[in-house]
Amino acid sequence: MQKTFTIGDLARYAAVPVETIRYYEHERLLRKPARTHGNYRLYLEADRERLSFIRYCRSLAMTLDEIRQLLRLQDAPDDTCETVNVMLDAHIDQVAIRIGDLRRLKRQLQALRDRCGLARTAKNCGILSGLNAAATLPQPSANGGDRAASTAARSKAGKPRNLRWKSSPRQVRV
Amino acid sequence: MQKTFTIGDLARYAAVPVETIRYYEHERLLRKPARTHGNYRLYLEADRERLSFIRYCRSLAMTLDEIRQLLRLQDAPDDTCETVNVMLDAHIDQVAIRIGDLRRLKRQLQALRDRCGLARTAKNCGILSGLNAAATLPQPSANGGDRAASTAARSKAGKPRNLRWKSSPRQVRV
DNA sequence: TGCACACCCTGTAGTAACTTCAGGGTCAAG
DNA sequence: CTTGACCCTGAAGTTACTACAGGGTGTGCA
């Protein structure tokens, strides 16, 4: 007699809301489970393992698409695993780039922070005036749009780095 | 005679789509401008400056809420600027935390990558088996939910770090 | 004057990875 | 039977945009 789990069991096991599990089912990361007579989902050990896998990959900041690929490979053990290598390499590169972005950002923020000494009001605020000064430095021409040879400050003002991991394709990628 | 700008002028100046400008107006970061007879938006130099400010703050990965606060302060020059300090400090802390997260993540990914030597198929894939092994290590009890003294691996499997910057309040914050 | 093209408008919907809400059903214990 | 915990589906919201649909405006040229 195989052990079964309700969605609540699974959720507690993986420390996620039940909604997330339903979401993963909707997104086809998890299979549609059997149901009880009362229409409750009935999960097996394999489902539990699969959810753990997904959560761990999420903890590695992989997108659901990436995880889908990995799951597909797991379900096809005789396929080549070159895909995994390529994906992981790209992933590692992205993390490295992002680390660099954040370091530069931190330095910028710290420089800005250091401008605020004894000021008490907004009109004397070194940070606000610093933000204003930086915002006005890059005066691109009205016919802008060409990214060539832009200053770093202008580049930043015009293209905020997307700090959300693996943003949607519409978001600006660095 | 003051110089005026269309939305397209502003968009070119700030190197953003016109949609983003309309979005900022909708989000009350930019004021509703006057209109032409043909219902075109008519912007002034001050609007242009405000947009630059917003974009620069975005480049510093500030949320729109944070930027709203700063803009409110700018519009009230006699208010205290302590808010700015506090906000920037918190922001810097967040960036530092995120850098740490990403460095740990990179190490993890690299360790995982190093497992893949000569394997050619998914069933022999060091990475996949590594992911599986890690996913099954943290076996929390079915009555989980308590975060106390969790292992690092379990913590990661159960609470993926949100790598989106300043995620929505619903997303898990580290 | 008419046409073509670039630009403008509003409203709607989509993106990623969730999360919340509404409204209702099921299950088990007292 | 009641109560409370848990389950269900579908829809909508979060953040910061971005794209699309369908229509209007402005300008230059033939």
Side-chain angles (χ1 to χ4, degrees):
Chain A
M1 185 56 200
Q2 200 172 174
K3 187 174 182 185
T4 58
F5 307 92
T6 61
I7 193 169
D9 297 331
L10 237 61
R12 279 185 294 278
Y13 169 71
V16 295
V18 295
E19 289 90 0
T20 303
I21 298 176
R22 288 200 203 100
Y23 175 72
Y24 286 164
E25 180 187 316
H26 183 263
E27 293 292 318
R28 299 177 178 266
L29 291 164
L30 291 175
R31 298 195 193 99
K32 286 181 187 299
R35 296 291 180 113
T36 64
H37 181 64
N39 203 31
Y40 281 26
R41 289 171 171 80
L42 214 48
Y43 291 102
L44 305 178
E45 181 64 32
D47 300 310
R48 210 183 73 164
E49 283 163 11
R50 198 169 173 95
L51 178 60
S52 294
F53 181 86
I54 292 164
R55 294 310 294 177
Y56 185 65
C57 291
R58 282 296 301 132
S59 77
L60 299 178
M62 292 183 188
T63 62
L64 298 191
D65 260 348
E66 281 167 338
I67 296 167
R68 260 190 220 98
Q69 281 184 54
L70 294 181
L71 290 172
R72 207 175 294 132
L73 275 178
Q74 272 200 336
D75 296 339
D78 294 319
D79 281 7
T80 180
C81 71
E82 188 59 24
T83 305
V84 180
N85 295 347
V86 171
M87 196 175 69
L88 205 58
D89 283 337
H91 200 55
I92 291 169
D93 288 346
Q94 277 294 311
V95 174
I97 289 168
R98 194 148 306 286
I99 290 169
D101 286 346
L102 286 173
R103 284 177 141 160
R104 278 189 294 278
L105 173 61
K106 185 164 180 285
R107 278 198 296 271
Q108 256 185 310
L109 290 169
Q110 194 61 56
L112 204 50
R113 179 65 182 83
D114 294 340
R115 290 175 63 107
C116 192
L118 299 175
R120 298 295 179 94
T121 64
K123 78 178 125 182
N124 301 320
C125 179
I127 293 177
L128 276 180
S129 59
L131 287 169
N132 270 303
T136 54
L137 271 182
Q139 298 276 10
S141 63
N143 67 358
D146 187 0
R147 296 283 311 280
S150 61
T151 65
R154 195 198 79 157
S155 170
K156 291 219 163 62
K159 297 284 183 187
R161 298 298 175 86
N162 176 22
L163 295 172
R164 176 178 157 201
W165 180 246
K166 291 283 172 85
S167 61
S168 76
R170 305 158 190 237
Q171 301 268 356
V172 176
R173 306 277 318 249
V174 176
Chain B
M1 184 59 201
Q2 198 171 182
K3 186 173 179 184
T4 57
F5 306 92
T6 62
I7 193 169
D9 295 330
L10 237 62
R12 280 186 292 278
Y13 168 72
V16 294
V18 295
E19 288 90 0
T20 304
I21 298 175
R22 289 198 203 101
Y23 174 71
Y24 287 165
E25 180 186 319
H26 183 261
E27 294 294 317
R28 297 177 178 265
L29 291 164
L30 291 173
R31 297 196 195 98
K32 287 184 185 300
R35 296 293 181 110
T36 64
H37 180 64
N39 203 29
Y40 281 24
R41 287 169 173 83
L42 215 47
Y43 292 103
L44 305 177
E45 180 65 33
D47 299 312
R48 210 184 72 160
E49 284 165 9
R50 197 169 175 96
L51 178 60
S52 294
F53 181 88
I54 292 165
R55 295 309 294 177
Y56 185 63
C57 290
R58 282 296 300 131
S59 77
L60 299 178
M62 293 182 187
T63 62
L64 298 191
D65 260 348
E66 281 167 341
I67 296 165
R68 259 188 221 100
Q69 281 184 56
L70 293 181
L71 291 172
R72 206 174 296 132
L73 275 178
Q74 272 202 338
D75 295 339
D78 293 319
D79 281 8
T80 180
C81 71
E82 187 60 23
T83 305
V84 180
N85 295 347
V86 171
M87 197 174 70
L88 204 58
D89 283 337
H91 200 52
I92 291 169
D93 287 347
Q94 276 294 310
V95 173
I97 288 168
R98 191 141 321 279
I99 290 170
D101 286 346
L102 286 173
R103 292 175 77 174
R104 277 191 295 277
L105 173 61
K106 185 165 179 287
R107 278 198 296 270
Q108 256 185 309
L109 290 169
Q110 195 60 56
L112 204 49
R113 180 64 183 83
D114 293 340
R115 290 175 61 109
C116 192
L118 299 173
R120 297 295 178 90
T121 65
K123 79 180 123 181
N124 301 322
C125 180
I127 294 176
L128 275 179
S129 60
L131 286 170
N132 271 304
T136 55
L137 273 180
Q139 298 277 11
S141 64
N143 67 358
D146 187 358
R147 298 282 312 280
S150 61
T151 65
R154 196 199 77 157
S155 173
K156 289 217 164 67
K159 297 283 183 186
R161 298 297 174 84
N162 175 24
L163 295 172
R164 177 180 159 198
W165 180 245
K166 290 285 172 78
S167 62
S168 76
R170 305 160 193 233
Q171 301 268 358
V172 176
R173 304 278 318 247
V174 177

